[in-house]
Amino acid sequence: MSFRAYRIHSDNNTTHAGLERLSLSDLSAGNVVINASWSSVNYKDALAATGQGKILRHSPLVGGIDVAGVVIDSSSDEFLVGDEVLVTGAGLSEVYDGGYAEYVRVHSECVVALPKGLSPFEAMVMGTPAFTAALALHRMEENRQNPSYGPIVVTGASGGVGMLAVDIFATRGYEVVALTGKKEHSALLQQLGANRVLLRDELTMGKAALEQGLWGGAVDSVGGDILAWLARTTKERGNIASIGLVAGAELQTSVLPFILRSINLLGISSANCPATLRRKIWKRLGNELKPQHLDKIVHSVISLDELPQAFETMLAGKSIGRTVVKIG
Ligand SMILES: NC(=O)c1ccc[n+]([C@@H]2O[C@H](COP(=O)([O-])OP(=O)(O)OC[C@H]3O[C@@H](n4cnc5c(N)ncnc54)[C@H](OP(=O)(O)O)[C@@H]3O)[C@@H](O)[C@H]2O)c1
């Protein structure tokens, strides 16, 4: 049996990627084989396929950090043939062959039973971004975050993580402020649950080590100067979830926000989340944390052939919401 797969070759500082025909024996080892129906486009996918980020630990690998589908072969006690499942992150397209293929072979500890209440398509509209936003919520609330602390500011708000974080935190009862560079999407962000929208161009970030406390907490997929500003403007005991780096990996801050306001900077890593917590969070995403506006968050549905254009748009900072990939 041969099938189509979008495979990335990354050697000696050169990267090329494209559709190839593979067979199961070409895929990395695993005890569960999934017939994939849907995948999605993430910033990490764009970095991996273009070589703009060093994501692959070895080469070649099939791209795609997310996948949903049906189990067609399993030697695991946990999953049976016919089970609907999903995998997000967990080393796909980093250590193991990923989800941009009609068949995906993985280790059972990466696999999550599709939560009741979610279709495979909805699971991929959500994908790694919803999981990451929910993991941020989980870690912040473990650290006592609650709506009484004040508004949660979500940066990179029109992106995948951003839109899902706006929806999930609003659903959970927080006042949400969306920070975006795209004025034209202000109304959409409000429809997702943002109480207010701040425009990046209109921000005055100031330079003092501590500035007026504005935020009860923050969900940041941007990094760089914005993250430093969040540290200066988060109120007492607030939590900042550091998720992404689209504006830069550097962070220049002083210790004052930490030692004078007791703020917490929480690192969020979806890829290496332990299986038990991963499954617990996905269960919540099918229940009380299910985003209310997935129909507005999905921006486009593409085929495997259209991946290169989607990566280009994403790396140019022009993508909106979620792009879902129809496999097969
Ligand atoms: N830690 C984890 O486990 C984890 C999981 C998922 C994603 N991530 C990371 O989170 C980040 C976002 O991922 P994503 O999939 O949501 O990407 P995305 O859909 O491309 O969204 C990124 C958003 O950031 C904003 N942005 C882009 N360039 C910017 C710049 N130069 N300065 C400030 N803002 C900029 C844009 O939104 P606005 O115009 O609305 O500001 C853009 O839509 C990436 O760095 C990704 O690698 C990390």
Side-chain angles (χ1 to χ4, degrees):
M1 173 175 68
S2 81
F3 54 88
R4 293 194 331 149
Y6 187 86
R7 205 182 203 194
I8 306 166
H9 298 256
S10 192
D11 306 295
N12 302 325
N13 298 326
T14 63
T15 298
H16 63 96
L19 284 171
E20 296 177 22
R21 288 210 80 84
L22 301 183
S23 60
L24 278 181
S25 60
D26 294 314
L27 298 180
S28 41
N31 56 354
V32 176
V33 181
I34 300 166
N35 183 195
S37 51
W38 300 97
S39 181
S40 74
V41 179
N42 294 280
Y43 197 81
K44 193 171 181 178
D45 295 317
L47 293 176
T50 59
Q52 287 201 31
K54 190 157 171 41
I55 305 296
L56 274 64
R57 308 264 184 91
H58 55 91
S59 169
L61 280 182
V62 176
I65 67 169
D66 291 345
V67 71
V70 175
V71 174
I72 58 151
D73 191 20
S74 168
S75 58
S76 152
D77 295 340
E78 294 179 293
F79 298 100
L80 300 174
V81 170
D83 285 353
E84 289 191 302
V85 294
L86 63 88
V87 186
T88 53
L92 292 198
S93 181
E94 194 174 347
V95 187
Y96 312 116
D97 284 301
Y100 293 156
E102 290 164 28
Y103 294 92
V104 181
R105 184 163 57 193
V106 284
H107 295 289
S108 51
E109 61 264 29
C110 305
V111 182
V112 177
L114 187 75
K116 287 190 182 64
L118 292 184
S119 69
F121 176 76
E122 286 177 319
M124 287 297 100
V125 177
M126 294 161 69
T128 286
F131 176 75
T132 308
L135 182 60
L137 176 78
H138 171 85
R139 293 217 54 210
M140 290 167 75
E141 290 188 346
E142 270 185 339
N143 252 6
R144 296 174 178 269
Q145 191 76 44
N146 67 70
S148 75
Y149 277 26
I152 301 293
V153 60
V154 176
T155 67
S158 73
V161 174
M163 280 197 184
L164 283 151
V166 168
D167 191 323
I168 289 169
F169 277 78
T171 298
R172 184 76 177 157
Y174 287 89
E175 180 185 344
V176 174
V177 176
L179 176 59
T180 182
K182 303 190 188 85
K183 188 176 186 176
E184 65 277 22
H185 296 306
S186 301
L188 173 58
L189 290 167
Q190 283 172 318
Q191 287 165 25
L192 300 184
N195 300 76
R196 272 188 295 141
V197 176
L198 287 183
L199 299 178
R200 206 161 58 233
D201 286 351
E202 295 175 4
L203 272 189
T204 312
M205 295 204 285
K207 290 200 164 82
L210 279 179
E211 289 166 24
Q212 185 190 357
L214 300 172
W215 319 117
V219 179
D220 178 53
S221 44
V222 166
D225 292 344
I226 295 266
L227 178 53
W229 172 72
L230 293 175
R232 300 198 294 272
T233 53
T234 293
K235 295 198 241 190
E236 294 236 329
R237 293 180 301 284
N239 296 288
I240 301 171
S242 170
I243 289 176
L245 43 58
V246 291
E250 298 294 318
L251 173 60
Q252 295 198 336
T253 182
S254 77
V255 296
L256 294 185
F258 305 99
I259 63 178
L260 295 181
R261 284 190 180 155
S262 296
I263 72 153
N264 305 298
L265 183 57
L266 305 179
I268 307 298
S269 175
S270 59
N272 66 10
C273 180
T276 315
L277 180 57
R278 180 182 295 281
R279 289 170 183 171
K280 183 175 162 189
I281 285 179
W282 268 110
K283 202 169 174 191
R284 291 186 72 192
L285 280 167
N287 286 293
E288 80 274 13
L289 296 185
K290 183 175 177 181
Q292 307 288 298
H293 307 94
L294 291 175
D295 55 325
K296 295 187 170 75
I297 290 172
V298 61
H299 180 254
S300 46
V301 177
I302 64 170
S303 65
L304 287 173
D305 307 81
E306 295 169 287
L307 283 170
Q309 180 59 46
F311 296 147
E312 209 175 292
T313 305
M314 183 160 260
L315 291 176
K318 292 182 183 158
S319 57
I320 301 143
R322 293 283 288 152
T323 296
V324 178
V325 184
K326 184 168 172 47
I327 312 277

